Amino acid sequence: MTFQRARSEEQRQIRRRAILDTAAAMLDEMPVAEVSLNELSRRVGLAKSNVLRYFESREAVLLELLDDFLGSWLAELANELATGIEAQSAPEVRADQLAEILSRSLAERVVLCDLFGAQGSVLERNVSVEVAKRHKRSSLARLATMSEIVRRHVPELGDETPLFCLVSLVSAGALSSYVPPPPSLLTAYAEEPELGVFHLELREALRVSFTSTLLGVLPRA
């Protein structure tokens, strides 16, 4: 893929989209930590200096991808919760259903979880104030959307809904960095099973985390 210089806003948007799509394809092959600006530039067919005309850094590219992925996931989550949570069930039953759906949905989106994990520790540390502001505005809007979706099915969470949603996303990012463990640990667990007593698949680890958080924020009967 090669480009001539963009001369209109429409052409600039096409270039930006091509960069984002290329970065997304790279994330299907490698973790966030291995996505480099040099390789992104090579794959998109632009000099690194030209990529920087559209995004100020590698981190700015990945933050925008995080927002894109989060928006797509929330649209799908709304449908999953609408069909998977029984409106007439008791609060604790609906909370269990919420934890199950959230854990399954996020475990199927490893790239999104990887981006969550890198957000605070890496991605937000090499961007300008303006990019940081734009990212935080978008993040808060996405959090509000998620809170509205969740509160629709478990209204008992009340004012604690945004906190639950925030902790859930942070947990997904943190747990995805541990699950699955590297091959050396899997070998160690196979040779000495007692070492892997707390080893869980990502979906189950997320379910336990979400359930524990819900128990803490749901009002007591």
Side-chain angles (χ1 to χ4, degrees):
M1 184 185 304
T2 57
F3 293 118
Q4 295 179 346
R5 183 175 179 180
R7 299 186 182 278
S8 69
E9 183 56 30
E10 181 182 4
Q11 289 174 329
R12 285 186 59 81
Q13 292 306 314
I14 291 172
R15 306 298 190 275
R16 285 175 60 85
R17 190 69 255 170
I19 293 167
L20 290 170
D21 289 345
T22 301
M26 291 174 67
L27 288 171
D28 286 335
E29 303 173 16
M30 61 189 75
V32 168
E34 295 180 15
V35 174
S36 70
L37 191 57
N38 285 334
E39 180 62 11
L40 175 59
S41 302
R42 186 189 70 78
R43 293 195 186 197
V44 83
L46 290 171
K48 185 166 77 170
S49 59
N50 286 334
V51 171
L52 293 174
R53 292 177 183 271
Y54 302 101
F55 294 93
E56 65 181 38
S57 63
R58 174 193 85 109
E59 289 76 11
V61 175
L62 295 174
L63 283 176
E64 189 151 335
L65 266 187
L66 171 59
D67 183 62
D68 282 358
F69 290 169
L70 184 54
S72 298
W73 174 63
L74 289 174
E76 295 178 17
L77 179 66
N79 293 328
E80 292 173 10
L81 294 182
T83 59
I85 293 184
E86 300 167 353
Q88 305 306 317
S89 296
E92 60 272 19
V93 173
R94 283 182 279 113
D96 284 342
Q97 292 170 339
L98 172 61
E100 177 62 33
I101 293 169
L102 277 177
S103 59
R104 181 187 70 240
S105 184
L106 283 168
E108 292 172 352
R109 293 165 175 80
V110 177
V111 171
L112 179 58
C113 292
D114 194 16
L115 287 167
F116 282 143
Q119 181 179 7
S121 61
V122 178
L123 301 184
E124 295 176 346
R125 296 180 181 272
N126 188 30
V127 292
S128 66
V129 172
E130 287 308 310
V131 169
K133 286 181 179 179
R134 186 166 64 246
H135 167 63
K136 284 303 181 183
R137 291 188 198 105
S138 181
S139 294
L140 288 171
R142 300 295 191 194
L143 184 64
T145 298
M146 183 178 178
S147 299
E148 180 184 351
I149 294 169
V150 169
R151 189 183 289 117
R152 194 179 304 155
H153 301 283
V154 189
E156 292 82 2
L157 288 172
D159 293 341
E160 301 295 335
T161 309
L163 176 61
F164 166 73
C165 292
L166 177 61
V167 170
S168 296
L169 298 181
V170 172
S171 297
L175 288 169
S176 70
S177 67
Y178 289 93
V179 182
S184 58
L185 277 181
L186 289 175
T187 300
Y189 295 159
E191 293 177 355
E192 297 184 45
E194 64 274 14
L195 297 177
V197 63
F198 294 116
H199 169 49
L200 298 171
E201 297 297 327
L202 181 57
R203 177 174 172 177
E204 180 60 15
L206 290 171
R207 190 192 65 77
V208 170
S209 174
F210 298 158
T211 301
S212 299
T213 305
L214 284 166
L215 289 174
V217 297
L218 272 177
R220 300 296 189 271

